[in-house]
Amino acid sequence: MDWDDLRVFLAVARTESLSAAGKRLKIDPATVGRRIARLEEATKARLFTKSPQGYALTEEGARLIPHAETAERAALGAEESLSGPGGLTGLIRLGAPDGCANYLLPQVLARICDANPGLEVQIVALPRVFNLSKREADMAIAVSRPEAGRLTVQKLTDYRLHLAASRDYLASAPPIRSPQDLVPHRIVGYIPDLIFDKELDYLAEIGIGPATLSSNSVSVQLNWLRHGAGVGVVHDFALPAAPNLTRILTGQVSLTRSFWLIRHESDTRLDRLNRFADQLTREARAEMARLETALRQDEKPRLTESPFRPDA
């Protein structure tokens, strides 16, 4: 059985499409189709059924998956052993929620790539859960720890969130000295039916809302707040990117969450991914500490300047 055919088989199984598999492997869809046909002839089994939704695994195809993945791990392991224990090389795709992807990962991954010139990293920034079994990413960052699946999970870092608004907005809006004072204010938050994880339902936990301005994107919410649209929950680590925002009610409203690094169980045998995960965890924690320390230092001169802070 040809490993190259198994590689194509895995790509089709994960993308459920000849064209998508071809893009991933950088070969044309017709070649993908021929490779699948050749593998089916070699195995004397039909591996996929075609439908309007795409290519779905047959029972025989599903039985072939673990064997193909074993061959994949062996091939990757062979590449690693030949490249030696030097710097990280090759491509790693990392899935992450857009707040983490926009305001934490860029500087973290830039430092990792500076230390590993042969490394290429892709960030897939989407507000949803990633399917690692379909290899949408090599690893993913999530806001809650998964309880099922063939996955390994490690805590990446804790982070904090507070209510915030622009100083221009606060200067012209009714005073905010308690959560009850938020009633006449315009609230910015998530679209309720697009909250993909209960850990993101901040407004319900705080007991305010509903949001007047809502988006499934953290970046959109942050930009609304930057432009004086209202009050919303903001990641502390994102505030350095929006210096005109100020935290409010910090003594009364404070949320703590965690980012979790999730990998497919079988990938823990790959030294390259293990080393990348270790570097990512170390750099993410250091960057989080740096950002939150900088935020506290920046706020010190302003602690007595705003009549809208309860601790003023």
Side-chain angles (χ1 to χ4, degrees):
M1 195 176 296
D2 192 307
W3 153 241
D4 205 39
D5 291 345
L6 286 174
R7 184 172 67 97
V8 172
F9 164 74
L10 284 172
V12 176
R14 290 163 179 167
T15 63
E16 300 179 347
S17 162
L18 297 185
S19 58
K23 285 182 181 179
R24 180 175 291 190
L25 299 172
K26 298 180 180 180
I27 59 178
D28 63 87
T31 301
V32 174
R34 287 195 296 272
R35 296 282 180 80
I36 294 300
R38 186 168 72 181
L39 184 60
E40 289 182 328
E41 183 178 351
T43 58
K44 296 182 172 54
R46 190 179 184 191
L47 303 175
F48 294 97
T49 58
K50 186 178 179 182
S51 72
Q53 288 73 42
Y55 282 74
L57 286 166
T58 62
E59 185 177 337
E60 292 84 355
R63 288 203 299 269
L64 182 59
I65 285 287
H67 303 288
E69 289 181 335
T70 297
E72 180 182 50
R73 289 193 297 273
L76 291 172
E79 290 178 11
E80 286 187 359
S81 66
L82 292 173
S83 62
L88 294 170
T89 60
L91 172 64
I92 294 177
R93 176 177 287 185
L94 178 64
D98 69 328
C100 179
N102 278 286
Y103 305 110
L104 178 65
L105 290 181
Q107 59 271 37
V108 166
L109 293 173
R111 285 199 291 270
I112 293 174
C113 287
D114 285 344
N116 299 276
L119 181 65
E120 179 184 353
V121 179
Q122 297 177 346
I123 301 176
V124 182
L126 291 174
R128 63 173 177 81
V129 177
F130 285 81
N131 190 327
L132 296 180
S133 294
K134 291 188 176 182
R135 290 301 193 262
E136 293 179 335
D138 294 298
M139 54 185 74
I141 295 171
V143 295
S144 64
R145 184 183 186 120
E147 301 298 332
R150 294 172 54 212
L151 305 169
T152 60
V153 183
Q154 66 187 80
K155 181 184 285 190
L156 190 65
T157 182
D158 292 327
Y159 61 97
R160 276 146 287 280
L161 307 100
H162 290 88
L163 289 166
S166 73
R167 284 186 281 280
D168 288 343
Y169 174 84
L170 293 172
S172 60
I176 304 172
R177 296 187 176 91
S178 72
Q180 291 71 34
D181 293 335
L182 290 167
V183 172
H185 289 263
R186 190 162 53 196
I187 303 299
V188 175
Y190 279 102
I191 300 171
D193 62 329
L194 294 182
I195 295 176
F196 65 91
D197 192 297
K198 60 181 176 59
E199 296 290 340
L200 302 178
D201 200 0
Y202 309 132
L203 299 183
E205 182 170 338
I206 295 170
I208 63 173
T212 305
L213 296 173
S214 55
S215 172
N216 67 326
S217 167
V218 168
S219 297
V220 172
Q221 294 175 41
L222 190 73
N223 280 315
W224 260 328
L225 297 175
R226 286 178 56 244
H227 290 287
V231 177
V233 175
V234 176
H235 301 73
D236 283 6
F237 65 78
L239 285 169
N244 68 321
L245 296 187
T246 187
R247 299 189 300 174
I248 59 175
L249 302 180
T250 54
Q252 301 177 58
V253 178
S254 180
L255 303 174
T256 299
R257 296 289 190 269
S258 301
F259 285 131
W260 300 90
L261 184 62
I262 304 167
R263 300 167 59 191
H264 196 274
E265 182 181 59
S266 61
D267 288 348
T268 57
R269 303 172 190 173
L270 299 176
D271 180 66
R272 172 172 163 272
L273 294 183
N274 290 337
R275 288 192 289 143
F276 177 81
D278 289 342
Q279 291 187 33
L280 178 62
T281 301
R282 182 171 60 252
E283 292 290 346
R285 291 176 180 176
E287 179 65 10
M288 188 67 71
R290 186 191 72 79
L291 290 171
E292 293 187 345
T293 299
L295 175 63
R296 289 193 295 271
Q297 292 175 343
D298 180 61
E299 285 186 337
K300 282 180 181 179
R302 295 189 273 108
L303 286 178
T304 59
E305 293 177 7
S306 172
F308 309 105
R309 297 177 60 90
D311 47 354

